[in-house]
Amino acid sequence: VGLPLMQLSAGGHHAAVVTAHGTALVWGKNETGCCGREYPKELAVPVPVKIPSENQSASSPANLPFTDWAIWNNKDGLVAKMSDDVAIQDVACGAEHTILVTRSGRLLVCGSNQRGQLGADVSKVPTATTVVPVHHPSG
């Protein structure tokens, strides 16, 4: 991939990695949407996962690559980095699903939910072909 990798997880027929910058990349069989997208049904190379943002700002500067990035001023000058609500810090792959945790603690899931493994009501979410947040009790 050419990026510093921090974590790797392998599922039944798919895998995911997390880069040092907080990007999640997935590849493999995607029959159930476990790669965070409906199509294609198989990914031969790692592709970035699109993470839904809670805090996208319309005031993001035009020179940033994505609207969910922010600028901080540190001792070396201005630094651009992903917002904590979309930057991934942890990933786990199951047989046909993927679970992601952002730096801000958001729980995101995709793939098969046939046995409730996504933490969502099976009757409402039998399968998630895109990455969706799961609201867990706080405390």
Side-chain angles (χ1 to χ4, degrees):
V1 177
L3 299 169
L5 301 179
M6 301 303 290
Q7 188 180 12
L8 166 71
S9 182
H13 298 280
H14 74 292
V17 295
V18 176
T19 71
H21 307 291
T23 301
L25 302 153
V26 294
W27 67 97
K29 272 190 157 179
N30 186 40
E31 297 288 325
T32 61
C34 59
C35 292
R37 58 192 67 224
E38 191 170 358
Y39 298 102
K41 294 297 182 187
E42 188 159 341
L43 301 164
V45 297
V47 296
V49 177
K50 180 170 174 40
I51 305 297
S53 177
E54 287 186 334
N55 302 319
Q56 279 189 342
S57 169
S59 63
S60 292
N63 61 342
L64 291 178
F66 306 103
T67 58
D68 51 13
W69 284 39
I71 288 186
W72 284 268
N73 194 357
N74 69 8
K75 64 180 180 173
D76 300 322
L78 296 178
V79 176
K81 77 174 212 175
M82 274 196 270
S83 157
D84 283 349
D85 80 315
V86 296
I88 301 301
Q89 80 173 20
D90 201 6
V91 65
C93 295
E96 296 181 337
H97 68 287
T98 304
I99 299 170
L100 305 141
V101 179
T102 67
R103 288 185 190 147
S104 67
R106 286 179 55 208
L107 180 63
L108 306 166
V109 297
C110 58
S112 173
N113 192 33
Q114 287 183 336
R115 294 175 183 84
Q117 62 267 47
L118 298 184
D121 184 346
V122 176
S123 65
K124 294 179 183 174
V125 184
T127 299
T129 55
T130 60
V131 175
V132 296
V134 173
H135 302 286
H136 50 84
S138 53

